[in-house]
Amino acid sequence: MEASPSPLISSFIIRFVMNEQPSKVMAYHGTIRHIQTAEEINFHEWCEATEFMHRFVKLDELQPPSPPEIPISNL
């Protein structure tokens, strides 16, 4: 009987920092860390984070999730 191949697992920690200044659009930056390798980068745009994830996870698209239909604060 053949053994099933082990699944490939990639885990990430993503930290967002929101900058809110009066009369300016809210902006963010953050850090993303790949748990298995401890490799980490800083990002200022979501595409930088997805490019980093693509190095470890081969998916056609890595897009931020759609906002919930019900705001989280109302749950």
Side-chain angles (χ1 to χ4, degrees):
M1 188 159 112
E2 291 182 37
S4 298
S6 298
L8 296 176
I9 298 174
S10 286
S11 302
F12 299 90
I13 294 176
I14 303 175
R15 179 178 298 122
F16 288 95
V17 178
M18 304 301 288
N19 299 323
E20 188 173 0
Q21 298 177 2
S23 74
K24 290 192 176 183
V25 175
M26 188 179 303
Y28 69 89
H29 65 277
T31 303
I32 182 169
R33 173 187 279 254
H34 182 245
I35 301 301
Q36 286 73 16
T37 63
E39 197 170 337
E40 182 175 289
I41 65 161
N42 296 316
F43 64 90
H44 294 278
E45 295 183 17
W46 181 248
C47 65
E48 295 169 314
T50 61
E51 287 171 9
F52 179 76
M53 286 186 277
H54 273 290
R55 292 174 45 202
F56 305 98
V57 180
K58 304 302 180 208
L59 296 176
D60 291 337
E61 289 189 37
L62 287 172
Q63 296 296 320
S66 300
E69 291 181 25
I70 301 172
I72 293 173
S73 60
N74 293 341
L75 293 177

